[in-house]
Amino acid sequence: MSRLRPSYTDGDVIAWGGVRVRLKVNRRARRILLRIDPVAREVVAVAPAARHLKAAADFASSRREWILGELGRLLPLRILCEDDVLSVLGQSWRLIPDGRRLALAQRAEAGAWELHGCGAGVVDPLLVRRAIKSEALTVFGRRVRSHCRTLGLSEPPPLRLMDARTRWGSCTPGGPGRNPGIRLSWRLALAPFDVADYVVAHECAHLLQANHGPQFWRLVRTLVRDERAPRSWLRRHGAELRGMLQAQ
């Protein structure tokens, strides 16, 4: 009797040895590939079509040694505690879970910032995220307006925050029947200010050049002094940012 081959659907999760493998269909993929999701801490096996999901599962199983090595290199999730300090857009925030209304305050005698109300006795990472997103929207919005003025754009586009797994930002240039818009990962607020501002500038430059050609990079360099250092920082620390502030 022949063994029945298991069938899989897009989004299925299989597990072996404590490792989660999520099967995904991406019709733009040209071949089966594996990637590590540092936020979900799982493997994603990508197939170009649903009929290839079985082959994707088999491929993941054959690469167990590589997968275990990559997962082992992920930084442990940080559990936030009272009086912990986070760096947010170049400012140090001390976490004060005193049960008050969520608010950011500056201590006049020290110049330090304190995030009050981020929990009641225990830090709630969801409240910390809410505060960071609010700050990110304010600061990123200010930088979008500044960069658009430099580019000669009279009206900055709407700005939205996102939490994409693979992109730090995206831009939709305006056109016939299409409104412009910029989306930025809120997690950039956990990066140094210059790194976050580079991504803002990058997406603003796309309002005029929807490509990565020489003219696009000339625009970027009119907005930031040097794009190479922040790009290098994101390559080195991007996975760390994406893994921070998960629900505990």
Side-chain angles (χ1 to χ4, degrees):
M1 179 183 298
S2 62
R3 296 178 60 186
L4 294 177
R5 298 176 64 187
S7 60
Y8 298 104
T9 59
D10 187 18
D12 280 354
V13 175
I14 57 179
W16 36 259
V19 176
R20 287 165 48 91
V21 179
R22 185 174 301 277
L23 304 177
K24 294 291 292 182
V25 173
N26 183 343
R27 302 191 187 283
R28 292 178 296 179
R30 296 183 178 181
R31 64 185 186 279
I32 292 170
L33 56 90
L34 299 178
R35 63 178 177 83
I36 305 296
D37 185 334
V39 177
R41 294 184 172 252
E42 64 184 14
V43 184
V44 181
V46 180
R51 67 179 182 273
H52 298 306
L53 287 174
K54 171 63 168 59
D58 291 342
F59 182 57
S61 180
S62 73
R63 298 297 307 277
R64 292 190 183 195
E65 186 174 343
W66 176 84
I67 287 171
L68 292 173
E70 292 298 305
L71 290 174
R73 278 189 277 274
L74 293 179
L75 294 176
L77 290 176
R78 179 178 177 181
I79 305 299
L80 298 176
C81 302
E82 183 176 4
D83 288 333
D84 274 354
V85 176
L86 291 178
S87 179
V88 180
L89 291 167
Q91 298 176 337
S92 294
W93 289 13
R94 185 173 298 279
L95 306 182
I96 312 292
D98 51 12
R100 293 161 47 181
R101 181 178 179 181
L102 187 65
L104 186 64
Q106 188 173 25
R107 295 177 56 188
E109 67 275 14
W113 291 91
E114 295 179 338
L115 182 63
H116 293 270
C118 54
V122 177
V123 174
D124 183 342
L126 296 181
L127 292 175
V128 177
R129 285 168 59 140
R130 184 188 303 172
I132 293 174
K133 288 179 180 180
S134 177
E135 183 74 4
L137 198 58
T138 298
V139 175
F140 293 166
R142 188 161 59 237
R143 297 308 298 157
V144 167
R145 292 191 293 274
S146 175
H147 290 318
C148 284
R149 283 196 300 269
T150 302
L151 293 173
L153 299 172
S154 58
E155 188 69 26
L159 170 65
R160 295 176 58 191
L161 298 181
M162 64 178 184
D163 194 9
R165 300 293 176 93
T166 58
R167 304 181 70 178
W168 296 113
S170 66
C171 173
T172 302
R178 182 180 62 193
N179 295 323
I182 286 177
R183 301 177 68 201
L184 297 166
S185 171
W186 68 268
R187 293 179 183 278
L188 287 168
L190 298 167
F193 179 85
D194 289 347
V195 174
D197 192 44
Y198 155 71
V199 179
V200 179
H202 184 113
E203 301 308 332
C204 287
H206 276 314
L207 293 168
L208 297 179
Q209 290 289 328
N211 55 64
H212 289 99
Q215 288 184 325
F216 167 80
W217 289 110
R218 279 195 289 271
L219 288 175
V220 171
R221 292 174 191 127
T222 65
L223 303 176
V224 296
R225 181 174 301 176
D226 180 7
E227 83 283 1
R228 292 170 297 180
R231 292 179 70 190
S232 176
W233 192 96
L234 282 173
R235 283 194 295 269
R236 296 195 310 271
H237 300 286
E240 180 181 346
L241 288 188
R242 291 190 171 103
M244 292 180 67
L245 293 177
Q246 302 304 307
Q248 298 173 189

